Amino acid sequence: MKSYFEKYDSLLETNFQNFTANELLSSPCKLLPDNLNHLLRVSVPWHNLRGEGSHRHISSTIRFHMQPYSMSQLHIPFCKVIITERLPSGVFADPFELQHLRERGVFTDIAVFGDTNLELPSVLSNQLAVEIHMRVGCTSLLGHKLEISVDLPLHARYPPLDDSGYSKVKFGEPDLFLSCSMEGNGENESCLLLPTNDMAGPRTADVVWRIPSGTRAHTGIVSAVNYFSCCLYIYSFNCPSIHLLF
Amino acid sequence: MCLYSVMVWLLNPFTFTIGTRGNCEPIVCAMILWIIICLINGNVVQAAIWYGLVVHFRIYPIIYALPIILVLDPHSFQSGQKPCLVNWKSSKDNTSYSRKGVSEVDGVWTALKTIFTRGRIMFAMVSGSVFILCTGLFFFLYRWEFLNEALLYHLTRTDPRHNFSIYFYHIYLHVEHEFSVVEKLISFLPQLIVQLVLIFRFAQDLLFCLFLQTVAFVAFNKVITAQYFVWFFCLLPLILPWSKMKLKWEGLSCVVLWMGAQTHWLLWGYLLEFKGKNVFLQLWLAGLVFLAANTFLLIMFIRHHRYSARIQTVSASNFRE
């Protein structure tokens, strides 16, 4: 994502797809069979919001299905799963919080890209992307399946005004990659693999976050009462009874 | 009384909670108290140096500039000498004498000489120089990033997220349309008017004036967070000995009212932030109640104040520039 944001200012879908196809996966990777990507299938059987209020977690279970041939080619326990959550406008991840999680070993590596000003409302901010790296390890392997659980803390910005009093923010599915060292490659060279979506696998419903928003109809009354109140309170300092004390 | 006054600061839950959560407010408070000590001891230059430093550190003490300048009355402050402190009653005659003396002297030039005195000019020059020096040093080290984050940011900042201020909802409702220059200036007016009224009414009782100014500045600010309360809690021990307010039941009612208004706001804040309920209007109304509570507290302190010892006005025959 770092190289993406060096080139683009915002997370438009078309830009991201072009970047993935033309730059991320176009790098030559030695000894990578042409059809290896198709031997890897991925499904996201669980992708949901947990918690309530302005501070929640997005939990995902990611399942990779591998063919035996691909498992011998790739050193699976030493692979890294790269998950890119392109967050919708109105939601952000706190980079300091994520840094603490990385220091505690929850993630191998994690970074936030985009507008990290936590105070801005969504109309004044850009979309964020979170890139999570997680080392596979032996415990995640179940035969020919690799299962990873990710729990990402998120926070809501103030959404645009809405007469209904709430704004709905919809999450897309995360983008998933597998980074593995191949047999015959140099020790420091790894291949980035884009698994195929497993259409036969279970799919979760759309994840929607309902965030309270200000109501445009309140604008006039709030401004008027604010100014009237200030005048009233200021007048109270000049009450004659206080003057008499001096 | 001394012990109870100190306990109000040291054993105040706000003090140790806010002071230990990673911000620098106690340092600022210590510097302001030291400036007051310097002024009481007649060390104008030392007070000016620390004042320039504290304004560089935290901008809000700039509101104390005018009352300090007013207190540096040439009839009271002699350069390098400890000013004399007297009760308010005994000083009434001296006050009327000195004022009569000044009014008899003709000419704009003399009036200007009375205002722009050596002590005041020295304080302004020294504190201003220290401020500019510190700003220049950090600009040299960090360039525009420092200037933007430390100073310029406050000119354009907007705080639409919920806080104790009554302005947060007003700012959020207007976030899609930028405020005009007139609207921005108008929003500063209540705070400015309150500050000027308090200064010109209470400047002679410097400690009381600083306390009232700080409470009013926080109450009418566009953003209010709990850490700002520490700014006036450190001045509370300085004025409590001079208050006629008894703990039972006036003092307790002030405490209960102020804490109650805060708790009321926090309840709605909890529902908004942690339960995701749309309670923006209720939260804003709770902010109005909190502002009313702060105003009530200010009036109570004013009505029950007995005045601390003031700096004696020297008679015209003894006055030397």
Side-chain angles (χ1 to χ4, degrees):
Chain A
M1 291 308 295
K2 187 177 176 183
S3 43
Y4 174 86
F5 276 96
E6 281 170 0
K7 193 171 177 182
Y8 299 100
D9 289 331
S10 59
L11 268 175
L12 288 176
E13 181 69 26
T14 46
N15 288 345
F16 187 77
Q17 297 301 339
N18 289 339
F19 176 79
T20 306
N22 300 331
E23 300 198 31
L24 261 187
L25 297 171
S26 65
S27 310
C29 189
K30 296 174 194 168
L31 303 179
L32 175 68
D34 290 339
N35 61 347
L36 185 56
N37 278 328
H38 299 292
L39 298 176
L40 270 174
R41 289 175 296 121
V42 68
S43 64
V44 185
W46 177 257
H47 188 56
N48 216 341
L49 265 181
R50 182 167 73 76
E52 52 183 351
S54 300
H55 312 284
R56 302 194 189 188
H57 288 72
I58 187 152
S59 297
S60 311
T61 300
I62 300 157
R63 202 174 282 159
F64 290 90
H65 306 265
M66 284 167 283
Q67 299 297 324
Y69 170 70
S70 60
M71 289 194 68
S72 63
Q73 286 278 312
L74 311 168
H75 299 289
I76 294 295
F78 302 100
C79 288
K80 255 194 317 188
V81 175
I82 299 175
I83 304 148
T84 302
E85 282 275 7
R86 284 179 284 152
L87 300 178
S89 177
V91 170
F92 67 93
D94 185 346
F96 302 106
E97 189 179 18
L98 299 182
Q99 200 177 6
H100 286 306
L101 291 175
R102 190 190 60 173
E103 286 166 4
R104 281 169 32 203
V106 175
F107 307 113
T108 308
D109 201 359
I110 189 163
V112 180
F113 300 96
D115 193 341
T116 52
N117 185 334
L118 311 182
E119 294 284 324
L120 286 178
S122 58
V123 292
L124 298 178
S125 63
N126 290 324
Q127 277 182 267
L128 277 180
V130 182
E131 185 174 310
I132 304 165
H133 292 213
M134 290 181 75
R135 204 157 286 285
V136 171
C138 297
T139 52
S140 306
L141 277 173
L142 304 162
H144 299 308
K145 288 183 193 168
L146 169 64
E147 194 166 289
I148 298 251
S149 294
V150 179
D151 197 78
L152 183 66
L154 297 175
H155 312 275
R157 296 187 188 279
Y158 272 18
L161 304 179
D162 195 301
D163 289 335
S164 69
Y166 290 89
S167 183
K168 286 184 184 172
V169 166
K170 196 169 162 183
F171 286 80
E173 285 199 358
D175 300 293
L176 301 161
F177 305 91
L178 199 62
S179 175
C180 296
S181 297
M182 300 281 296
E183 273 188 14
N185 273 13
E187 279 186 13
N188 294 329
E189 194 169 332
S190 58
C191 294
L192 197 65
L193 304 161
L194 178 66
T196 316
N197 279 336
D198 184 2
M199 304 308 290
R203 299 186 66 79
T204 55
D206 290 336
V207 177
V208 176
W209 188 345
R210 202 163 158 259
I211 304 170
S213 67
T215 308
R216 201 167 273 112
H218 295 160
T219 308
I221 188 77
V222 166
S223 301
V225 171
N226 270 359
Y227 289 126
F228 173 74
S229 303
C230 285
C231 292
L232 182 67
Y233 297 140
I234 291 166
Y235 175 74
S236 65
F237 293 119
N238 288 293
C239 269
S241 56
I242 296 173
H243 280 211
L244 285 173
L245 292 174
F246 298 90
Chain B
M1 192 67 221
C2 226
L3 188 64
Y4 292 136
S5 298
V6 170
M7 280 166 65
V8 161
W9 167 250
L10 287 180
L11 299 183
N12 191 328
F14 281 95
T15 307
F16 49 77
T17 306
I18 289 161
T20 53
R21 75 176 191 186
N23 64 53
C24 61
E25 308 303 344
I27 297 175
V28 179
C29 293
M31 289 165 79
I32 287 167
L33 292 173
W34 181 246
I35 290 164
I36 292 170
I37 290 172
C38 290
L39 288 171
I40 289 172
N41 289 330
N43 295 326
V44 176
V45 173
Q46 194 176 2
I49 291 169
W50 283 101
Y51 185 71
L53 197 60
V54 82
V55 173
H56 161 77
F57 197 48
R58 258 316 201 161
I59 298 177
Y60 89 87
I62 195 70
I63 64 173
Y64 303 148
L66 193 51
I68 291 175
I69 291 287
L70 288 175
V71 149
L72 294 176
D73 190 305
H75 297 143
S76 312
F77 258 88
Q78 304 286 311
S79 177
Q81 293 178 25
K82 189 169 177 176
C84 201
L85 298 175
V86 296
N87 289 330
W88 276 81
K89 283 186 182 173
S90 65
S91 67
K92 268 185 189 169
D93 290 336
N94 281 338
T95 307
S96 58
Y97 177 86
S98 64
R99 283 183 184 161
K100 191 179 171 186
V102 168
S103 65
E104 283 179 347
V105 181
D106 296 327
V108 173
W109 175 246
T110 311
L112 284 173
K113 275 170 67 179
T114 311
I115 296 168
F116 295 102
T117 63
R118 186 180 167 190
R120 286 170 176 166
I121 291 172
M122 190 159 56
F123 185 88
M125 296 281 292
V126 171
S127 58
S129 302
V130 169
F131 176 78
I132 289 169
L133 199 69
C134 292
T135 305
L137 171 66
F138 281 90
F139 181 73
F140 174 73
L141 292 171
Y142 300 107
R143 297 292 173 187
W144 283 102
E145 190 183 358
F146 157 74
L147 214 58
N148 287 332
E149 297 292 334
L151 295 173
L152 301 178
Y153 162 70
H154 295 283
L155 297 175
T156 56
R157 68 181 290 179
T158 55
D159 298 276
R161 287 196 76 93
H162 50 283
N163 60 83
F164 290 112
S165 173
I166 60 173
Y167 292 107
F168 91 87
Y169 197 25
H170 174 77
I171 293 169
Y172 175 34
L173 291 171
H174 287 85
V175 76
E176 292 171 16
H177 316 284
E178 200 177 322
F179 284 113
S180 65
V181 174
V182 173
E183 280 173 324
K184 283 181 185 174
L185 286 174
I186 288 174
S187 64
F188 276 112
L189 270 181
Q191 205 173 28
L192 184 64
I193 292 170
V194 166
Q195 291 296 307
L196 290 174
V197 164
L198 290 173
I199 288 168
F200 288 110
R201 182 56 63 188
F202 299 106
Q204 290 300 309
D205 188 348
L206 182 66
L207 303 179
F208 190 56
C209 183
L210 298 186
F211 172 77
L212 290 181
Q213 274 190 273
T214 314
V215 174
F217 181 80
V218 171
F220 284 87
N221 205 24
K222 278 201 246 174
V223 61
I224 305 173
T225 60
Q227 68 190 63
Y228 297 169
F229 301 153
V230 169
W231 297 351
F232 53 77
F233 277 134
C234 70
L235 298 174
L236 200 51
L238 306 180
I239 64 143
L240 279 180
W242 314 104
S243 181
K244 288 181 289 188
M245 205 187 308
K246 303 287 178 199
L247 187 61
K248 283 183 185 180
W249 293 100
E250 291 157 330
L252 270 176
S253 64
C254 287
V255 171
V256 166
L257 189 74
W258 192 73
M259 294 297 302
Q262 254 188 76
T263 308
H264 173 240
W265 186 96
L266 288 169
L267 168 70
W268 293 112
Y270 172 78
L271 288 175
L272 173 68
E273 187 161 345
F274 295 102
K275 292 296 180 185
K277 306 289 182 196
N278 187 329
V279 291
F280 278 105
L281 200 65
Q282 294 91 322
L283 192 56
W284 165 69
L285 287 170
L288 282 170
V289 169
F290 186 59
L291 179 58
N294 278 296
T295 307
F296 173 76
L297 248 66
L298 279 169
I299 294 171
M300 286 291 281
F301 272 111
I302 291 169
R303 289 174 67 89
H304 290 86
H305 190 59
R306 272 188 304 191
Y307 311 112
S308 52
R310 58 167 291 175
I311 294 162
Q312 184 181 19
T313 304
V314 181
S315 63
S317 58
N318 294 332
F319 172 68
R320 290 193 193 98
E321 277 196 71

